[in-house]
Amino acid sequence: MKAVLLSIKPEYAHKIFDGTKKYEFRKNVFKDKSVRRVIVYSSSPERKVIGEFEIDTILNDSPAVLWTLTKDFAGTTQEFYDKYFHGRANAFAIKVASAREYNQKKELSDFDIMYAPQSFAYVEV
C-alpha cells in the first residue's frame, strides 16, 4: 500500500497523537489521490518516525475559509497559520481520521529513505 511520509515539526507532530491537532496544513499536497495513510516524521531535533494516521479528507480552499473550518483543531495559532499561508491563494488541510503513535519510534531508513523530505515522500507500507 502506498503512503506518504510527511516531515512535521515535533511540537505539531505530537499534537496529532494527543488529539489536539486534527488538521495538517500544507501549501501543496501529493498528487496521488489514492494515498490514504500518512507516516509522520518528527523533524529536528527529534528526527524519528513517530506514528501514522489515516486520511479522512483533504480540504482545499482559501486560507481564510480554511482557517474558519479548521481552527478548533488546528493545533496552532492563527498568527502562525497566517504567516505560513501569507500571499497564498490556496491552502490545504489534511484531516486526520485516526492516528496511531508507534510504541517504538522508527528511523527513515526503515522506509528506505536516506534524508528527510522537504515536504513529503511516497513510501510503501
Side-chain angles (χ1 to χ4, degrees):
M1 171 192 288
K2 189 184 286 185
V4 292
L5 184 136
L6 293 181
S7 291
I8 303 174
K9 291 181 180 180
E11 66 181 292
Y12 301 117
H14 288 280
K15 287 182 178 186
I16 291 170
F17 300 105
D18 73 15
T20 58
K21 181 174 176 56
K22 296 188 188 250
Y23 296 95
E24 173 57 22
F25 299 105
R26 295 285 154 159
K27 294 175 184 171
N28 295 297
V29 292
F30 38 91
K31 303 286 187 238
D32 188 340
K33 301 302 180 204
S34 70
V35 171
R36 305 305 314 153
R37 183 182 300 175
V38 171
I39 309 299
V40 178
Y41 173 73
S42 179
S43 61
S44 186
E46 190 169 19
R47 297 183 187 147
K48 296 287 183 189
V49 178
I50 63 168
E52 61 187 60
F53 67 84
E54 297 296 320
I55 298 171
D56 179 303
T57 190
I58 299 176
L59 305 174
N60 177 13
D61 215 315
S62 71
V65 169
L66 206 60
W67 177 255
T68 301
L69 296 172
T70 63
K71 64 184 176 186
D72 292 339
F73 289 99
T76 189
T77 65
Q78 185 172 4
E79 179 182 11
F80 181 86
Y81 176 92
D82 288 344
K83 284 181 185 176
Y84 181 70
F85 286 116
H86 179 74
R88 307 288 293 202
N90 283 328
F92 295 90
I94 303 169
K95 185 176 182 186
V96 176
S98 60
R100 179 174 69 91
E101 191 168 12
Y102 298 150
N103 291 328
Q104 284 283 353
K105 296 180 180 10
K106 299 181 181 185
E107 302 294 331
L108 287 173
S109 59
D110 294 332
F111 298 89
D112 293 324
I113 296 176
M114 303 317 296
Y115 302 100
Q118 286 288 74
S119 176
F120 70 90
Y122 289 109
V123 295
E124 287 293 327
V125 291

